[in-house]
Amino acid sequence: MRILWALTVGQTLAILLLTWTLLTRVREPAPVSAKPTMAGTAVTAPVVRPLPADCPDAEQLRAIIAEELQAHADGEAGAAEAAPRSHAPPPDPAQLARVEEEIDRHIQAGAISQVDMMRLQAGIARLDPAGRKRMLSKLIKAMNTGRLEGRL
Amino acid sequence: MRRKLFLALGLMVVLLSSSALAGWTQPFPVSVDLEEKFAAGDMATARYANGSLAFIGCGIRSFDDGEGGNFSFGFCQAGDAAGVTAACFTEDPDMLKVMAATSDFSFIFFGWAGEGDDATCTRVGRSTQSFYLPKGMKANKGTPVDDD
């Protein structure tokens, strides 16, 4: 998506630059004298038409580009704020210890009910990614080795 | 003697015709291999296995993480007829898609890492095919067309 935006902005800038260059050339009239060509025929100079009154000059074009770029930057910042937060909770040793104690308690009991399993999983969800992986592995490993009877 | 022969022939015809009408079946009873860290089976065979502890399935859980986000993980679990069970979990998006696509009569397989305390899934698969459907389901009939 960023690449697409970058290409769009680049294309817009290129078009504006080309327009500006053309306008500048038009304002600098070429010598009207005809030049002989190799074939001996004369090439007529381009017809210079006066610019319309509402045509922006170079300074105005720069201002427009700056304004567009600013609007684009603001839009990206807004989109980033609106996007859901992707980072997980930070490590919390106390929460990790609580979850681990709960798993150990169920292992000691030898079984875990469906309700307790859901409660436990909700607690695991509040851990940081490393903690989640560790606790889910501990839980499932206990089930796989027959130390804990229960279903996910 | 002739009557018995006719009866036997009649019985054979009935049996053969019913098996031909039933289509190909390939039940896959749940198998859990803790050495190879692999489990497989089809849902219908597991569910309708008489007097068996067999089961197999996959699921996805999504929980509020308490920080304004969500934590989602998927799992597969199985138990064979003898009661040997296994499970694994994953956060991998591709594996979650496979798990989410399981349906009532799917065949499922999964494997897990099992190194140390690691119980993450290393492979997950499923397929849903006619030969996993249980007995007793009615065949599709053509929809009656109203001539009006």
Side-chain angles (χ1 to χ4, degrees):
Chain A
M1 190 65 187
R2 284 190 176 185
I3 294 170
L4 195 65
W5 275 113
L7 285 171
T8 308
V9 171
Q11 192 182 20
T12 311
L13 286 174
I15 290 167
L16 288 172
L17 192 66
L18 188 66
T19 313
W20 182 49
T21 311
L22 286 172
L23 287 172
T24 314
R25 279 188 187 175
V26 168
R27 281 178 187 174
E28 293 165 4
V32 187
S33 61
K35 290 178 183 172
T37 61
M38 285 175 73
T41 55
V43 176
T44 54
V47 179
V48 179
R49 295 192 185 93
L51 282 172
D54 59 345
C55 185
D57 60 14
E59 203 54 45
Q60 285 171 317
L61 280 172
R62 279 196 202 97
I64 290 168
I65 293 168
E67 199 177 307
E68 288 296 324
L69 285 172
Q70 186 59 46
H72 173 64
D74 290 347
E76 274 206 336
E81 279 170 17
R85 192 186 50 75
S86 60
H87 65 267
D92 180 352
Q95 173 71 0
L96 183 69
R98 274 195 295 274
V99 169
E100 190 156 22
E101 275 170 25
E102 199 177 338
I103 294 173
D104 287 335
R105 191 163 46 80
H106 289 298
I107 291 172
Q108 276 192 334
I112 181 169
S113 70
Q114 287 286 86
V115 174
D116 284 342
M117 179 63 87
M118 289 302 113
R119 194 176 294 135
L120 183 58
Q121 288 176 12
I124 290 172
R126 295 182 176 231
L127 299 174
D128 63 294
R132 287 167 178 166
K133 188 174 178 182
R134 227 183 93 199
M135 291 302 107
L136 276 174
S137 280
K138 179 169 183 161
L139 172 70
I140 292 171
K141 201 78 178 175
M143 292 164 61
N144 286 354
T145 52
R147 289 179 294 141
L148 179 63
E149 176 65 31
R151 303 282 171 261
L152 290 168
Chain B
M1 182 64 187
R2 186 176 280 182
R3 196 176 165 189
K4 279 185 181 173
L5 188 66
F6 275 122
L7 275 173
L9 278 172
L11 192 63
M12 274 180 71
V13 167
V14 168
L15 286 173
L16 286 172
S17 62
S18 64
S19 73
L21 281 173
W24 174 252
T25 58
Q26 185 175 284
F28 198 123
V30 177
S31 164
V32 177
D33 189 334
L34 296 176
E35 293 291 314
E36 294 293 325
K37 301 175 179 66
F38 182 79
D42 78 78
M43 304 237 296
T45 307
R47 178 63 184 87
Y48 297 109
N50 282 334
S52 170
L53 296 169
F55 68 91
I56 192 162
C58 297
I60 291 176
R61 301 272 185 267
S62 192
F63 294 92
D64 166 23
D65 68 5
E67 297 280 333
N70 281 304
F71 168 55
S72 299
F73 72 95
F75 64 89
C76 287
Q77 57 185 348
D80 66 12
V84 178
T85 63
C88 69
F89 76 96
T90 187
E91 294 176 57
D92 179 80
D94 289 334
M95 289 196 190
L96 288 176
K97 279 182 199 166
V98 174
M99 290 170 174
T102 52
S103 58
D104 287 357
F105 303 115
S106 290
F107 160 79
I108 294 166
F109 75 82
F110 62 94
W112 59 97
E115 301 300 328
D117 273 337
D118 192 358
T120 52
C121 301
T122 53
R123 49 190 162 161
V124 178
R126 59 114 213 141
S127 71
T128 308
Q129 303 184 63
S130 64
F131 49 69
Y132 294 126
L133 292 173
K135 280 181 188 174
M137 298 189 82
K138 290 190 176 177
N140 289 328
K141 303 277 186 195
T143 306
V145 180
D146 198 349
D147 288 336
D148 294 338

